[in-house]
Amino acid sequence: MSTVTETAVQSSQPPILPKSFNANQPTTIRLYPLSNYTFGTKENQPEEDPSVVARLTRLEEHYKHHGMRRTCEGILVCHEHNHPHILMLQIANAFFKLPGDYLRPEDDEVEGFKARLNERLAPVGSQFSGEGVNDEWQIGDTLAQWYRPNFETFMYPFIPAHVTRPKECKKLYFIQLPRSKVLSVPKNMKLLAVPLFELYDNTARYGPQLSAIPHLLSRYNFEFVDEAGNPTSVTPGGGPYQGEAPQTKVLAGDIAVEDGTNGTS
C-alpha cells in the first residue's frame, strides 16, 4: 500500500478519479471456469440433410404443413483466464454452430429446446455419474432473433420490409451454466470453447450470427470465479490475466482444429 501511495505522490500527472458510472447497471452474470466442466463423447449424430439444397427442400415441406419453422440455439458461456468463452460445435472441420436445433411442430418452445440441447450435449447411459450429470438447463434471456425470409440460406436480424411470412425464426438464448456440468458431444463433431475476441468482427470465419455474439453479451456485466467459487475478477476492469493467453480450445471430439473452410448453417 505504501508503494502505491508514494508512486501517486511522486507522479507529475496524478490520476483523475472519474465520476460514478454505475446508474442503471446491467445484470451481472456469474461465470465459472472451463475446468469446472467435464467433457466426453457419444455416438455419431449424422446431419439430417446431405446438402444445403436438401435442407432447404425439407424446410419448404415443413412450411407447407406447419408454417414458420421455430429454431432455438443456446449461447453457453464460461471463462478461461477471466475472459468469456462460448461453447460451440464444429462439424466436419468446417461449419460452426451453437447447440440446439429446430423444434418439432408439436413441441413447447422451452421444453422442446431443452430436449434438443440434451440430444446434442447430454451424456448417455452410465457414461458419467455424480454432480452435474442430470442438471436441467437454465434457459435465460432471448438475446437475438434471426429470420429467414425465403427458402434460401440468408437470415437477417430483422424481417425485411417486403416479407410478411418468414419461413424460419431462430432465437438465440443465453444459457446460464451451473457451477459444474457434464457435457458429451457426438463423435462426428467437436465441442470448442471460443473466446469472445476470436468471434468479434470475424464474419469471414464464423458468419454474421456467431460473430455478433460479443455485441449481444455486452448487455451484461460478468463476475468471474475460480474452481472454489471465489470471485477473481469482475467487469468493468479487473486487471490482466496471468499465464497462458486465452485461445480456442477443443474440449471433445477430434484432436485438432483446422483453419480451412468455415461457416455456419
Side-chain angles (χ1 to χ4, degrees):
M1 182 64 70
S2 61
T3 303
V4 175
T5 303
E6 291 172 3
T7 301
V9 170
Q10 294 174 2
S11 173
S12 61
Q13 299 268 328
I16 299 174
L17 298 179
K19 292 184 178 180
S20 174
F21 199 52
N22 296 317
N24 297 333
Q25 282 292 85
T27 302
T28 296
I29 303 293
R30 172 167 284 199
L31 298 184
Y32 297 95
L34 186 60
S35 56
N36 271 27
Y37 303 103
T38 302
F39 304 98
T41 58
K42 55 187 177 183
E43 291 303 311
N44 289 355
Q45 291 182 3
E47 288 292 289
E48 294 184 66
D49 305 301
S51 66
V52 174
V53 173
R55 180 178 177 84
L56 295 176
T57 299
R58 184 161 56 85
L59 171 62
E60 190 167 1
E61 287 298 316
H62 181 283
Y63 184 81
K64 288 179 182 177
H65 293 91
H66 308 289
M68 183 188 73
R69 184 165 69 182
R70 303 170 299 156
T71 298
C72 298
E73 294 182 349
I75 298 177
L76 286 65
V77 192
C78 58
H79 81 85
E80 181 85 338
H81 303 300
N82 296 336
H83 183 79
H85 284 57
I86 308 301
L87 301 188
M88 192 177 300
L89 297 167
Q90 187 181 28
I91 302 172
N93 289 326
F95 295 99
F96 299 91
K97 64 186 302 182
L98 296 171
D101 212 329
Y102 68 89
L103 302 181
R104 297 176 179 87
E106 67 276 10
D107 283 348
D108 169 80
E109 182 175 337
V110 173
E111 294 306 313
F113 181 30
K114 290 179 180 178
R116 300 318 297 262
L117 286 174
N118 283 331
E119 287 178 15
R120 282 286 193 246
L121 294 178
V124 295
S126 58
Q127 185 178 19
F128 294 101
S129 61
E131 183 182 0
V133 176
N134 296 315
D135 291 348
E136 187 163 311
W137 298 100
Q138 299 298 315
I139 310 299
D141 297 332
T142 298
L143 299 183
Q145 296 184 101
W146 288 79
Y147 297 92
R148 193 185 305 275
N150 299 300
F151 301 112
E152 300 172 346
T153 57
F154 300 107
M155 298 190 78
Y156 302 88
F158 55 86
I159 301 177
H162 64 283
V163 174
T164 57
R165 298 180 181 178
K167 307 308 183 284
E168 180 179 5
C169 177
K170 177 188 290 187
K171 286 187 177 182
L172 304 186
Y173 286 92
F174 183 88
I175 304 295
Q176 178 70 58
L177 285 173
R179 181 171 178 175
S180 64
K181 193 168 181 64
V182 177
L183 302 171
S184 288
V185 63
K187 292 180 180 178
N188 58 316
M189 304 179 187
K190 296 175 186 175
L191 183 62
L192 310 176
V194 183
L196 286 191
F197 67 77
E198 168 70 15
L199 292 173
Y200 177 68
D201 201 27
N202 197 351
T203 56
R205 180 171 175 80
Y206 294 100
Q209 295 176 35
L210 301 182
S211 62
I213 289 176
H215 295 278
L216 303 178
L217 293 181
S218 68
R219 64 181 293 185
Y220 299 115
N221 280 338
F222 293 113
E223 178 186 57
F224 305 97
V225 301
D226 59 21
E227 293 181 355
N230 302 310
T232 58
S233 180
V234 296
T235 56
Y241 57 83
Q242 300 294 326
E244 180 186 2
Q247 60 182 328
T248 297
K249 291 191 173 184
V250 180
L251 307 175
D254 294 339
I255 299 301
V257 177
E258 298 183 5
D259 293 325
T261 304
N262 299 284
T264 58
S265 59

